[in-house]
Amino acid sequence: MTISTTSSSTDSLPDRTRPVAIWLLSVAALVALMVVVGGLTRLTESGLSITEWKPVTGAIPPLSAEVWEEDFDKYRQIPQYQLVNKGMSLDEFKTIYWWEWGHRFLGRLIGLAFFVPFVWFLATGRLRGQLAWTCAGLFILGGLQGGLGWYMVASGLTERVSVSQYRLAAHLGLAFLIFAALVWVALGILRGNARADDANRRWIGWTAGLMGLVYLQIILGAFVAGLDAGIIYNTWPLMDGAFVPDRVYAGEMAAFEDHMTVQFNHRMLAYLICILTVVYCWRVVADGAPALQRRAAMWFATGVLLQVLIGIWTLLAVVPVWLGGVHQFGAVVVLGLAVLQAHVAYHRDDKAVQQLG
């Protein structure tokens, strides 16, 4: 990533900007929570329960039996109810409604948690110059994410019983991009933006490549979720009786629309990331990289290996809701660690962050 910030010193944490970094990391934590809640909303098939987009008044849930009946009646008009959930009771509808309402409410909360401190920091002079413009850009991305979320939901209200996997991938991809950007900018404040010395900079290619592959894997995971491709071919290491199934890539758009191929891609990229991570970690340690780079590499390798194990467990268990949520949270953690090690490689170490090790 090329987002940059400003810092008055790389030897200490300036009192003026430390609260800004804490704020950005807090918002990143809320985004991580939103990603998990969004994943649970998808796994419980709750995302189409609210059929209208009301950015302001939608924050108020139904407060009377009449309003509940009105919202339920709107849901009964869409294909998901008519073809999948026909005969659902009002109490069952309330369950899926609260999942989607909670997801949207959390999005509104994140907007407030970003905007109010942003204005305060601007007014008090803690945010200025390039850092202020960077934070403004992050706020705009957050607004676009809300619109993209509705664009995704709208794809499942007329001719489909679920949302488009393409729009789901775009929505999830932007969420993870915002999370990564928040972490990167906060690290820039905490550690400064001075270029790292040659001992660290030689790892930039490795860390940037691994970060990109992790992000791509998240997008592939969105296609798996969008097509419910995780609830079939629930064996490992073989898939449909073979490591490389015969029917994989059968069709023009198989990489995005065929259940087998989508799951196969997700598996194969996981193996590639795992192998490259082990090689990278071994080289960092063997070549005597700086201490923080070694620690960051070990954290990242641990996160990747745990995520692969959780992914296998999730597949074999046929994606129970709680385990699917753990796997989604694992993706957030792995991307966060990938961002950290890339920042360590690109920027000079600072004592404040070294103490985290």
Side-chain angles (χ1 to χ4, degrees):
M1 298 178 66
T2 57
I3 295 175
S4 60
T5 62
T6 57
S7 177
S8 60
S9 171
T10 57
D11 299 321
S12 63
L13 295 179
D15 292 336
R16 181 177 62 83
T17 54
R18 185 197 297 263
V20 176
I22 294 172
W23 160 60
L24 291 174
L25 290 175
S26 299
V27 175
L30 286 175
V31 172
L33 176 61
M34 178 128 182
V35 166
V36 174
V37 172
L40 295 174
T41 301
R42 168 61 188 165
L43 288 167
T44 55
E45 299 184 351
S46 305
L48 299 178
S49 58
I50 302 178
T51 60
E52 297 176 315
W53 190 37
K54 299 177 180 178
V56 178
T57 58
I60 303 174
L63 299 177
S64 67
E66 291 77 16
V67 177
W68 273 115
E69 284 294 344
E70 288 176 8
D71 285 350
F72 190 21
D73 186 60
K74 292 173 184 175
Y75 177 67
R76 285 194 288 250
Q77 308 309 310
I78 70 171
Q80 186 183 75
Y81 173 83
Q82 297 167 2
L83 300 176
V84 179
N85 291 329
K86 197 170 184 64
M88 170 183 277
S89 69
L90 178 60
D91 285 340
E92 290 171 327
F93 170 71
K94 288 180 178 180
T95 299
I96 63 174
Y97 184 99
W98 283 121
W99 273 113
E100 176 64 7
W101 183 87
H103 183 54
R104 296 191 188 192
F105 182 80
L106 187 54
R108 295 181 175 96
L109 178 62
I110 291 172
L112 285 174
F114 192 98
F115 182 72
V116 173
F118 175 67
V119 173
W120 171 255
F121 287 138
L122 280 177
T124 57
R126 293 179 186 271
L127 268 180
R128 57 193 181 194
Q130 188 176 355
L131 179 57
W133 284 107
T134 298
C135 291
L138 290 172
F139 181 71
I140 292 172
L141 281 180
L144 291 174
Q145 174 70 337
L148 185 57
W150 172 247
Y151 179 65
M152 177 191 69
V153 170
S155 68
L157 297 179
T158 54
E159 300 176 356
R160 301 170 56 101
V161 297
S162 61
V163 300
S164 162
Q165 70 271 27
Y166 296 101
R167 299 188 191 185
L168 175 63
H171 185 52
L172 185 67
L174 183 55
F176 273 93
L177 180 63
I178 292 170
F179 169 79
L182 286 164
V183 173
W184 183 273
V185 175
L187 288 173
I189 296 170
L190 292 172
R191 305 185 65 244
N193 290 303
R195 294 293 181 91
D197 55 30
D198 291 341
N200 259 28
R201 285 179 61 80
R202 70 176 184 269
W203 303 112
I204 289 176
W206 272 97
T207 57
L210 286 168
M211 184 168 58
L213 288 175
V214 167
Y215 186 76
L216 176 59
Q217 178 71 329
I218 288 166
I219 300 300
L220 293 183
F223 278 94
V224 172
L227 291 172
D228 289 325
I231 61 175
I232 55 177
Y233 307 113
N234 301 100
T235 58
W236 186 86
L238 301 183
M239 180 180 181
D240 199 31
F243 188 75
V244 180
D246 293 336
R247 294 183 293 108
V248 74
Y249 293 112
E252 219 175 284
M253 298 296 291
F256 306 103
E257 298 179 359
D258 176 62
H259 294 70
M260 173 183 283
T261 305
V262 165
Q263 190 192 123
F264 177 79
N265 288 341
H266 195 53
R267 290 188 184 208
M268 293 302 109
L269 187 55
Y271 298 149
L272 177 62
I273 292 172
C274 196
I275 292 169
L276 291 177
T277 297
V278 171
V279 172
Y280 162 72
C281 192
W282 173 77
R283 286 195 57 186
V284 165
V285 174
D287 291 357
L292 185 55
Q293 190 71 54
R294 295 199 304 272
R295 283 197 292 270
M298 294 297 294
W299 295 338
F300 177 70
T302 301
V304 167
L305 293 175
L306 285 175
Q307 178 69 346
V308 169
L309 292 175
I310 293 170
I312 294 170
W313 182 13
T314 303
L315 177 73
L316 295 177
V318 198
V319 198
V321 171
W322 73 271
L323 193 51
V326 172
H327 190 48
Q328 186 117 333
F329 178 69
V332 178
V333 173
V334 171
L335 182 61
L337 292 173
V339 171
L340 172 62
Q341 70 171 2
H343 201 281
V344 169
Y346 195 76
H347 295 294
R348 190 163 61 232
D349 292 349
D350 182 78
K351 293 179 182 178
V353 174
Q354 290 179 4
Q355 290 171 359
L356 293 176

